[in-house]
Amino acid sequence: MKRINCKLIVSDFDGTLLNTKYTISQTVKDAINEYVSAGGIFAVCTGRMLKSILPRVRELGLKGFVAALQGTVIADIETGEIIKCGGFKNEEAKEICDEFLLNGYNVNAYCENTLYTTIPQDDKKLKLYLDITRVEAEYVTHCSMGEYLTENNILCQKIGCLVDPKKMLDLYGKIKQSIGDKYDVNYSAVILIEVSPKGDDKGEVLRFLSKKYKVPMEKCVAVGDSLNDLSMIKQAGIGIAVANAAEPLKAEADYITVSNDEDAIAKVIEKFGFINEN
């Protein structure tokens, strides 16, 4: 017989819940359904836009809340109602965009449910990214992104840059050194550098969910694979890195599980979600 142990499990999506075939295995789906049916709370916190993640969590049959864009946006899954929406001031967004431009890179600006980009439409990395996230982009071609966001007074939650994997850590270091004292500078996968509002992160989402569901933090589990998951990994009672996670995340995790291609979330639910009573 099983009973709930840790009542709240919060998972990243890409690289954690999603495998390298960009699907969620039936084993993982069954584990989530069993956990939720028994009274557990399973939530997703991702860097994706709301319109990208909302259909995926609905496919899983999840209810409650989903967090998007590093946690700057939180919405009700069933209704789609946004209950929290943070973002940069115009001058902050411009400063970040200009910093990427100074280093020779175009950017994506994530503005609620619209993705603006100055990356050329035929860029292979952008095409793959749009295909994986299932979103379309609006192309800004007549001015810089910083100018566009400022002139149109657009609230922006995240600014990202797609970069060659071999150059990713070098550019990350430069951006982190330049503006990391003002903003959260992270990376996900091996090609995406992301900048979001300071402290408005996945750790804050975990605190929100812990309070909302009245689950003590020591009974909260967070699972991730990238540097942008670090805040919730450190905040959780049990912070878990998947085997394919970035090394800095593994170094901070309380536990390292199997990879996203080995049904990591199912293993986490089995080990921490339940107590087996014989």
Side-chain angles (χ1 to χ4, degrees):
M1 182 178 177
K2 293 181 178 180
R3 65 178 175 87
I4 292 295
N5 179 20
C6 294
K7 191 171 182 180
L8 174 62
I9 298 177
V10 180
S11 175
D12 172 51
F13 192 69
D14 295 277
T16 304
L17 184 57
L18 204 66
N19 60 33
T20 55
K21 293 180 180 179
Y22 307 114
T23 61
I24 301 171
S25 75
Q26 191 60 49
T27 298
V28 170
K29 290 178 181 178
D30 290 344
I32 293 172
N33 287 335
E34 181 187 17
Y35 177 67
V36 172
S37 295
I41 301 162
F42 187 87
V44 171
C45 184
T46 178
R48 288 193 182 206
M49 300 173 69
L50 183 60
K51 71 177 180 181
S52 174
I53 193 60
L54 202 51
R56 304 303 299 269
V57 292
R58 284 172 173 168
E59 287 171 12
L60 286 170
L62 295 179
K63 301 184 187 304
F65 303 101
V66 63
L69 293 172
Q70 310 296 73
T72 54
V73 173
I74 300 176
D76 181 276
I77 294 173
E78 293 180 271
T79 66
E81 179 187 1
I82 294 175
I83 63 169
K84 174 198 171 185
C85 185
F88 296 112
K89 297 177 181 177
N90 286 154
E91 60 269 23
E92 293 174 332
K94 186 176 187 305
E95 179 183 25
I96 297 163
C97 292
D98 289 349
E99 185 62 33
F100 279 111
L101 190 61
L102 185 65
N103 282 277
Y105 286 89
N106 290 305
V107 296
N108 288 335
Y110 301 79
C111 309
E112 295 187 31
N113 268 327
T114 303
L115 171 62
Y116 298 98
T117 186
T118 55
I119 300 173
Q121 195 166 354
D122 61 353
D123 184 272
K124 291 182 179 179
K125 291 190 294 296
L126 178 63
K127 286 183 175 180
L128 178 61
Y129 177 77
L130 296 177
D131 184 54
I132 291 171
T133 57
R134 303 179 185 178
V135 299
E136 297 180 351
E138 292 195 17
Y139 296 90
V140 177
T141 58
H142 59 284
C143 63
S144 72
M145 183 65 77
E147 292 170 336
Y148 184 81
L149 296 175
T150 300
E151 289 173 3
N152 292 280
N153 193 30
I154 297 173
L155 178 64
C156 175
Q157 284 79 37
K158 185 177 77 168
I159 295 166
C161 173
L162 296 172
V163 59
D164 187 291
K166 295 179 181 179
K167 299 178 180 179
M168 195 268 290
L169 287 178
D170 179 63
L171 180 60
Y172 165 74
K174 290 178 179 178
I175 299 297
K176 180 79 172 176
Q177 183 176 21
S178 178
I179 60 174
D181 59 328
K182 300 179 182 178
Y183 314 108
D184 281 338
V185 182
N186 294 297
Y187 58 80
S188 61
V190 292
I191 63 167
L192 182 61
I193 296 173
E194 306 165 313
V195 183
S196 53
K198 196 79 168 179
D200 200 359
D201 53 23
K202 294 187 177 186
E204 186 61 32
V205 171
L206 188 62
R207 286 187 287 273
F208 167 84
L209 294 174
S210 172
K211 183 177 180 180
K212 190 76 175 177
Y213 292 117
K214 297 181 173 58
V215 179
M217 192 58 72
E218 60 266 25
K219 287 295 184 180
C220 295
V221 176
V223 195
D225 75 303
S226 295
L227 199 62
N228 62 6
D229 299 311
L230 184 58
S231 60
M232 70 175 183
I233 294 297
K234 293 175 72 173
Q235 181 70 33
I238 303 173
I240 301 174
V242 290
N244 51 290
E247 290 304 319
L249 190 76
K250 287 182 179 179
E252 296 286 349
D254 299 305
Y255 181 80
I256 299 173
T257 188
V258 298
S259 76
N260 62 328
D261 280 334
E262 299 171 283
D263 301 326
I265 293 301
K267 297 293 185 184
V268 168
I269 290 172
E270 179 183 2
K271 185 172 181 63
F272 297 103
F274 288 108
I275 293 175
N276 286 305
E277 297 179 327
N278 298 320

